[in-house]
Amino acid sequence: MADQNQRAEIFELNNGTMRVFITNYGCTITSLSVPGKDGKLADVVLGFDSVDPYMQGLAPYFGCIVGRVANRIKDGKFTLNGTHYSLPVNRPPNSLHGGHKGYDKQIWEVAEHKKGDNGSITFKYHSRDGEEGYPGNLSLSATYTLTSTTSMRLDMEAVPENKPTPVSLAQHTYWNLAGHNSGNILDHAIQIWANHVTPVDENTVPTGEIKPVKGTPFDFTAQKRIGESIHEVGIGYDHNYVLDCGEEKEGLKHAARVRDPSSSRVLNLWSNAPGMQFYTGNYVNGVVGKGGAVYGKHAGLCLETQGFPNAINTPNFPSIVVQPGEKYRHSMLFEFSVE
């Protein structure tokens, strides 16, 4: 078990080119700085200067790892092996991102922190049976590693100890490649390696359908400006893409490529998850962040690779149930460059 006296602190990974700050409160990336075309570093993630605002609940999931199950579970209910489970309905009428006190609001144990060019930090957390309504004890670890001068890898693992349980973790950083304080991301261009999307109902829960993106405003199979068709999808993108056509590298599929024209910064994301929630910060409204920057609607974009939302209630979606003795593994590779 984690030491109950653990404090929330911020830790640094720095290889001379890339600088990342991460807190053990929710395994949250509070700052990530990479060079742009001028060679100057800019912090490209939305967040706060200290851990206090995160702990006060002021962040709309900025930078954290969410779970036990990311995204929405319809009506906060599911049945597993004949047992009915009820979860907190923290985003009515659904349960979102693990409930009232999900993994983003827990202090994780710092198991290891290595400095240097390939610096890394490993966090661990023990989730108990019944926590936020979920079945079974679960041992979790998350390791952030600087894998090259401008790339970072995240490896998340979870092992159920005594009961089958749904597990679907997601990393919820809000990216703005022009700099966290530079306005909205509508001029960023994105390519998503997904030929299909899972349409949603009026409460943003997938209907169970899997629909082609071709000929719709959801089509990012070729690079497209985010703002180009955003007015056609309500308040913005908040949809799960089926990662079904990316090339593979080191067991990870190419999920997305984002480019900011002003700085020429590019982020390539690779993951082994089946889906990715593409979210354009539609609900961000006047959050005062780092250095007094005010984050408004569309101030950042999220690329949350994940199991499909509400998969536990949708038999035709890939299963997110993990059995005791099995290991859940979810890896993401963030590669930054200038193009």
Side-chain angles (χ1 to χ4, degrees), residues 79 206-210 308-321:
T79 300
T207 60
E209 301 167 278
I210 295 175
F308 293 4
N310 199 38
I312 191 68
N313 292 313
T314 316
N316 60 309
F317 283 0
S319 174
I320 59 165
V321 175

Side-chain angles (χ1 to χ4, degrees), residues 28 32 36 65 68 77 92-93 115 122 159 184 220 245 255 326:
T28 300
L32 188 151
I65 289 177
R68 185 173 298 196
K77 292 184 178 0
K115 308 254 171 108
T122 298
V159 179
N184 69 53
F220 290 98
C245 56
E326 294 179 350

